[in-house]
Amino acid sequence: MTTHWIAIWFGRALILAGFLAAWQLASGTLIPKMFVSDPISIIETIALWIADGSLWNHLATTLVTLLLGYGLGAALGIAAGFALGLAPFADRTLAPFIAAFYGLPKVALLPLFVIFLGIGIESKVALVAVVVAFLLFYNTRAGVRDVDPDLINSLRLMGATQAEILRKVFVPVTLPWIYTGLRVAVGYALTSTVVGEVLSSNRGLGFLIESSAGRFNSAGVFAAVAVLVALSLLITATLTRMEVSSSRWRM
Amino acid sequence: MSDAARITVARSAVLLGFLTAWELSGRFFDATWTSTPSLIAMQLADWAHDGLAWHIAVTLTEMAIGLAIGVPSGILLGLWLGRSPLPASLLRPFIVALNSVPVVALAPILIMWFGLGMEPKIALVTLVSFLLLFFNTFAGAQAVDADWIAALELMGATRREQFRKAVAPACVTWIFAGLKNALPYALIAATIGEMMVARAGLGFLITSSSAVFDMTALYAVLVVLMLLGAAVNTLAESSEAFLLRWRPTLSEAR
């Protein structure tokens, strides 16, 4: 069994090495270097960015935008999900309007945010917040609707106050739904951050991709993409680890 | 008043109230940044004679061609890799890595490769829909009950028969889940591509109107995109409901 896994990992390393070697060799011979760059130039570009410190600036901008937008959007979405989940009439009245807004590709709102909030991180934070808020809203509302009315009625019979019902029934029932929403929203938030930066910004990983592409600096584009890939892998790995440790108690 | 009637009244009241407040605030204060619903309606009426259909057609064409290439190739690769244990286990870390990458952020590379026309947008829609369908079909093909395959093998089924009788039907739900995501995502990808560089399409209309601070035009495009997005979502949901109508729903199964 162990030798089997060693063979698999060896095969994987071989595929990766073969891919990088083929890329390096094909670049400049089979395919113009301007289109695909090559692994060595990409690593050199990343090393250069690390040396002059610009990489950390851009990475920090992207991360701050991501976190602010995510936090703001999650708070708004959860609050709205509870509010409408607990008010069926308002919920049914507003449902078609919310659905219509949900259908709009949210990135189309970015120019509006840039006009109102400027080219700084605020406009991207707003974009990420809108994207995340919708996901959390729908998940939280589904969770609130999932609450068994019998549970509420029996607690009422036992003389529980509204606050107690909220704490003892709604929070535990909706928590897994909110958790799922939070987990899914991370990927969307990262995508929106970077797309927002690509479209209009003056800092961040997305800006690095776009400004390198604008100067036909393919090594720069691929270097920025490589950093982005590393960042998303790191985020995914962290989330997976958190999931494993937080769901130990579950059956 | 019946319940449904009350909801309809409430909805109309919300919509009318919102539009009236918007219109009045634009009329009596300042319409520079917020425009007004009447201006937006006039803009849309203007466009209706002049070019809006063309921009919508460009966006829809990019979506359609991209989906037509990306969806079948994603399904085929997912089916094949999902039923090939050795390549699948060799490629697994790469697939996981690919799954966590924000693919639409790669649009600048596609523009570098394919230029400024419709091609990079088609390529982006293709890439996004291919990956969505691939990940879903791959997961579905791997989740096929091993007992079914064993039973079919016992009955002497060939690999082809196993595929037709067990693997393909089991993957259908997964494929439709992927398709349901791919449709709205195709609109998003086409819009993003057009917002980066384009000469036509709804994304182009957004950037060109915001570049000259023509707020009325900007809101007008957003209205069109909203309607288009709602139509795409409805289409995705109703086609899934129609094609999977043989499957008992969750409530029926209970």
Side-chain angles (χ1 to χ4, degrees):
Chain A
M1 198 64 204
T2 0
T3 49
H4 174 69
W5 275 108
I6 291 169
I8 290 280
W9 276 106
F10 183 72
R12 287 169 179 172
L14 215 60
I15 291 173
L16 186 63
F19 174 71
L20 291 176
W23 187 356
Q24 184 71 41
L25 289 175
S27 168
T29 52
L30 289 175
I31 317 166
K33 206 173 154 169
M34 195 196 92
F35 286 133
V36 292
S37 187
D38 63 85
I40 291 175
S41 314
I42 293 168
I43 292 167
E44 280 170 358
T45 308
I46 296 178
L48 192 76
W49 286 342
I50 292 176
D52 69 7
S54 58
L55 185 64
W56 310 124
N57 282 336
H58 292 298
L59 207 54
T61 305
T62 300
L63 280 176
V64 170
T65 311
L66 177 69
L67 287 175
L68 285 176
Y70 184 78
L72 194 66
L76 278 173
I78 294 171
F82 264 104
L84 287 190
L86 293 174
F89 187 75
D91 181 48
R92 282 178 58 201
T93 305
L94 296 179
F97 305 115
I98 298 171
F101 241 101
Y102 183 65
L104 178 74
K106 259 63 82 190
V107 352
L109 295 170
L110 185 70
L112 206 58
F113 293 144
V114 172
I115 288 173
F116 286 124
L117 302 169
I119 193 116
I121 71 166
E122 295 87 346
S123 46
K124 268 72 72 186
V125 169
L127 175 67
V128 177
V130 171
V131 171
V132 172
F134 268 105
L135 291 171
L136 265 298
F137 166 72
Y138 276 117
N139 266 52
T140 309
R141 196 182 61 164
V144 173
R145 283 185 178 170
D146 192 40
V147 171
D148 187 349
D150 286 349
L151 279 179
I152 304 172
N153 287 337
S154 42
L155 270 188
R156 279 230 175 89
L157 268 176
M158 292 189 259
T161 63
Q162 196 66 34
E164 278 170 329
I165 292 175
L166 213 59
R167 205 160 48 91
K168 303 268 179 186
V169 180
F170 280 98
V171 171
V173 171
T174 48
L175 221 49
W177 291 84
I178 294 175
Y179 191 81
T180 311
L182 287 172
R183 172 76 177 81
V184 171
V186 175
Y188 283 86
L190 180 64
T191 305
S192 318
T193 308
V194 180
V195 167
E197 287 173 350
V198 168
L199 284 170
S200 57
S201 70
N202 43 24
R203 267 173 300 159
L205 280 181
F207 169 74
L208 214 47
I209 296 177
E210 174 60 18
S211 67
S212 310
R215 287 179 279 117
F216 286 99
N217 171 11
S218 57
V221 177
F222 282 97
V225 168
V227 176
L228 176 62
V229 171
L231 177 68
S232 31
L233 288 181
L234 194 71
I235 292 176
T236 311
T238 316
L239 285 173
T240 313
R241 182 160 279 196
M242 278 165 59
E243 241 158 54
V244 170
S245 64
S246 71
S247 60
R248 267 180 310 206
W249 53 272
R250 231 181 283 172
M251 306 283 279
Chain B
M1 199 167 15
S2 80
D3 197 42
R6 275 173 57 217
I7 291 285
T8 314
V9 169
R11 280 177 186 167
S12 332
V14 168
L15 188 62
L16 269 175
F18 173 71
L19 290 178
T20 317
W22 188 358
E23 184 74 38
L24 289 178
S25 81
R27 289 262 165 112
F28 292 106
F29 299 105
D30 181 15
T32 324
W33 300 114
T34 56
S35 189
T36 62
S38 56
L39 285 172
I40 295 167
M42 279 191 279
Q43 174 72 266
L44 285 173
D46 261 7
W47 275 348
H49 305 294
D50 176 39
L52 182 62
W54 160 247
H55 289 290
I56 296 177
V58 167
T59 305
L60 286 179
T61 309
E62 288 161 1
M63 285 172 66
I65 300 178
L67 284 168
I69 307 170
V71 168
S73 45
I75 294 176
L76 287 179
L77 189 68
L79 281 175
W80 174 73
L81 206 59
R83 301 310 299 166
S84 319
L86 183 65
S89 69
L90 279 174
L91 294 175
R92 180 171 301 280
F94 305 110
I95 295 170
V96 172
L98 205 58
N99 195 14
S100 69
V101 175
V103 180
V104 277
L106 305 185
I109 297 183
L110 298 175
I111 291 167
M112 215 161 65
W113 286 350
F114 297 108
L116 311 178
M118 281 170 79
E119 298 86 349
K121 290 91 183 174
I122 293 172
L124 190 63
V125 176
T126 305
L127 189 64
V128 167
S129 55
F130 168 79
L131 288 174
L132 276 173
L133 266 295
F134 166 71
F135 293 133
N136 266 50
T137 315
F138 179 63
Q142 287 200 313
V144 176
D145 195 337
D147 287 349
W148 295 358
I149 305 284
L152 278 174
E153 246 166 22
L154 215 79
M155 294 189 263
T158 62
R159 218 177 124 77
R160 195 199 162 96
E161 283 166 333
Q162 289 168 27
F163 183 82
R164 259 208 6 215
K165 300 280 176 189
V167 179
C171 289
V172 169
T173 11
W174 293 76
I175 291 174
F176 278 108
L179 209 55
K180 206 172 130 190
N181 277 334
L183 274 172
Y185 230 95
L187 179 63
I188 295 174
T191 313
I192 291 176
E194 287 169 354
M195 285 173 76
M196 284 180 190
V197 212
R199 280 164 294 198
L202 292 171
F204 161 77
L205 271 189
I206 292 179
T207 31
S208 62
S209 17
S210 73
V212 295
F213 295 102
D214 185 346
M215 301 308 284
T216 306
L218 180 54
Y219 292 119
V221 196
L222 289 178
V223 170
V224 175
L225 255 181
M226 189 183 277
L227 295 176
L228 196 60
V232 166
N233 278 351
T234 314
L235 180 73
E237 264 153 42
S238 55
S239 63
E240 191 199 26
F242 177 72
L243 288 161
L244 294 182
R245 61 190 183 283
W246 49 270
R247 191 183 52 169
T249 60
L250 207 56
S251 51
E252 284 171 45
R254 269 181 194 164

